[in-house]
Amino acid sequence: MPRAGLRVRFRDVAFTTAVPFSDDGSGVLFDELTDNLATQYEAGARLFIPCGNTGEYYSLTDEERIEIVETHVEATGDEATIAGGVAGSLREVERLADAYEDAGADAIMVMHPDHTYLHQRGLANYYHRICDATDLGVVIYKRGPEVPRDVIVDLSERESVVAVKFAVNDVREFSQTVADAPGEVTWVNGIAERYALSFAIEGATGFTTGLGNFAPAATLALFDAVENENWEVARSIQRLLRPIEDLREESGEGNALSAANNVPVVKYGMDLAGHTGGPVRDPLVDLSADDAVRLEEYYDQLQSTPVLETA
């Protein structure tokens, strides 16, 4: 697909999809994944990011990642856009990108760097060499200071770079990055529904969603409200979804590490919605009993609200 067309397609809700595992976590349930994706597509989802953090990227093998991307392509319609997550060495990224392209994907999303030691020039070289190595569109994923503004500004002029997923709760930094970047990339708010309004005002024309795995109507209605500048409706939906997003940000029971509830909330929400979420893989753990009860309450509230009927 031409890069200009890909940039337009990222001006949407990007569904960062969860992966259903078997009860013991050893296998991927591909039939159930197909059903989950078909439900999201039927609800209106058109942009999918498999093998991201919601998809437990670092708990998957390369073989699983490739088959997961293949499943996304096969389970969604011709209008769908698929951007598979990649990470690691240049050789591994190139191997995955080639396999994703063979599977019919449209783009890769380069995960936030997890290298212990980084150099800004080396990081820029890393991204540029990825762009040189693939014909797919490239999405840059920023989750912290390890991807500096200057690197994004430089990469924005690459024809291959179609979008930047900016997943840092810093509107000021986002606004300045958008202002400084000369390229025509699409700016995606990577911290989801809670910040959809503020980031849209500063230049984000899309946002990612984990909640869309089990509440696609709500997140798509929020996107439509923001796109149409119907701020009253947008704020109503945002406030409705905020308790679930806040729960995702919590550490979970008996844990001092941040945001461990993120994926377990999504997966249990899928179970509540009648889809297949299932367990998480180590190093994550499933929701505690108390957190599960809280999510049930929030989900019931979401299902009973009239706000979506007027969105």
Side-chain angles (χ1 to χ4, degrees):
M1 179 182 294
R3 300 294 189 270
L6 264 181
R7 293 189 182 97
V8 171
R9 289 199 174 197
F10 273 88
R11 299 171 189 168
D12 202 347
V13 181
F15 282 65
T16 57
T17 51
V19 177
F21 299 127
S22 57
D23 288 343
D24 64 358
S26 63
V28 175
L29 304 179
F30 288 101
D31 289 344
E32 288 79 355
L33 176 59
T34 296
D35 292 341
N36 291 343
L37 294 168
T39 299
Q40 293 169 26
Y41 188 86
E42 290 168 6
R46 292 297 181 269
L47 176 58
F48 298 87
I49 302 180
C51 304
N53 285 326
T54 304
E56 301 180 72
Y57 180 90
Y58 293 102
S59 298
L60 301 171
T61 66
D62 277 355
E63 289 70 27
E64 287 174 330
R65 292 166 185 148
I66 293 166
E67 191 167 356
I68 287 166
V69 170
E70 291 173 345
T71 301
H72 277 68
V73 173
E74 294 167 0
T76 58
D78 293 339
E79 296 178 1
T81 300
I82 311 297
V86 297
S89 69
L90 282 167
R91 181 175 293 182
E92 182 176 11
V93 169
E94 291 172 15
R95 176 177 179 269
L96 283 173
D98 287 346
Y100 292 175
E101 184 175 10
D102 290 343
D106 304 283
I108 56 173
M109 182 182 73
V110 184
M111 301 288 284
H112 189 79
D114 64 344
H115 303 72
T116 303
Y117 305 111
L118 291 169
H119 190 289
Q120 183 168 321
R121 185 172 67 251
L123 183 63
N125 290 341
Y126 175 77
Y127 287 122
H128 280 296
R129 291 176 68 181
I130 290 172
C131 290
D132 292 339
T134 182
D135 291 327
L136 296 176
V138 175
V139 180
I140 306 300
Y141 186 8
K142 173 182 171 68
R143 280 188 59 86
E146 295 80 11
V147 183
R149 186 193 310 166
D150 288 349
V151 170
I152 295 176
V153 168
D154 173 42
L155 288 164
S156 74
E157 297 192 274
R158 286 292 307 240
E159 180 67 17
S160 296
V161 178
V162 296
V164 174
K165 178 181 174 181
F166 194 100
V168 181
N169 184 9
D170 188 341
V171 174
R172 177 180 178 182
E173 176 64 19
F174 175 72
S175 178
Q176 192 62 58
T177 305
V178 172
D180 289 352
E184 296 297 324
V185 299
T186 295
W187 299 96
V188 178
N189 158 29
I191 46 178
E193 289 85 354
R194 279 184 300 180
Y195 302 99
L197 282 72
S198 53
F199 273 78
I201 290 170
E202 296 295 343
T205 52
F207 63 82
T208 59
T209 181
L211 297 186
N213 284 274
F214 63 91
T219 196
L220 290 168
L222 175 60
F223 177 81
D224 289 343
V226 170
E227 187 176 43
N228 294 320
E229 299 184 5
N230 190 341
W231 304 119
E232 182 178 355
V233 170
R235 280 191 293 270
S236 297
I237 300 172
Q238 182 188 54
R239 290 166 183 161
L240 179 66
L241 298 178
R242 182 179 293 276
I244 302 177
E245 285 290 275
D246 288 344
L247 178 58
R248 290 181 72 196
E249 195 173 44
E250 292 182 14
S251 298
E253 187 177 275
N255 177 43
L257 304 175
S258 63
N261 271 354
N262 191 298
V263 178
V265 164
V266 169
K267 287 197 159 184
Y268 187 52
M270 295 172 72
D271 292 334
L272 293 175
H275 312 314
T276 305
V280 295
R281 278 180 175 172
D282 294 331
L284 296 176
V285 300
D286 295 323
L287 287 183
S288 69
D290 288 345
D291 286 345
V293 169
R294 290 168 61 196
L295 180 57
E296 291 165 9
E297 294 172 353
Y298 300 150
Y299 181 75
D300 288 344
Q301 183 180 1
L302 176 62
Q303 292 300 102
S304 62
T305 182
V307 67
L308 299 182
E309 298 175 3
T310 61

